[in-house]
Amino acid sequence: MMAGKGGVAKLDVGVLSAEQQEKLRQFKINTRIDNEKYLRSHPEVEVLIGDFLRDVLLKRPADIREFAADHFTNPDLNAVIGSKMEGNSDME
């Protein structure tokens, strides 16, 4: 592994055999499919993330980590997202 930007490890797939590369490719495809299925079955994720991004862009907090912690630990978050989910279903 090689260190990339921000200390994130980056795989050097050139050291993998052809069979390992194919298994890795299939794993990535299957992971994407599984993730897509999960997100489709949980539309609240999109509403939750969209609500957070909207607040970030409107309020432009100096400390994004503290803002995120406050946002996602809001005791009313479940009700807020539920209300927005009901509003979104009216649009479909």
Side-chain angles (χ1 to χ4, degrees):
M1 286 192 186
M2 300 165 36
K5 288 184 180 179
V8 175
K10 188 172 182 179
L11 293 176
D12 182 4
V13 292
V15 299
L16 299 177
S17 69
E19 180 183 353
Q20 289 171 322
Q21 287 181 26
E22 180 57 24
K23 284 182 179 179
L24 178 59
R25 189 181 76 77
Q26 284 299 320
F27 173 78
K28 288 179 178 181
I29 290 169
N30 290 335
T31 300
R32 276 194 161 173
I33 290 169
D34 289 344
N35 290 345
E36 184 66 28
K37 286 178 182 175
Y38 180 84
L39 290 174
R40 286 179 188 219
S41 67
H42 294 280
E44 67 275 14
V45 173
E46 184 176 348
V47 174
L48 191 65
I49 299 300
D51 185 61
F52 172 69
L53 285 176
R54 182 185 56 79
D55 277 358
V56 165
L57 295 173
L58 286 172
K59 297 174 183 173
R60 301 189 184 272
D63 186 341
I64 190 71
R65 291 179 182 175
E66 182 178 343
F67 183 83
D70 290 343
H71 181 87
F72 289 110
T73 57
N74 175 355
D76 297 326
L77 186 61
N78 193 31
V80 169
I81 297 305
S83 171
K84 291 183 180 189
M85 292 293 298
E86 289 174 15
N88 284 352
S89 65
D90 293 343
M91 299 164 96
E92 290 178 359

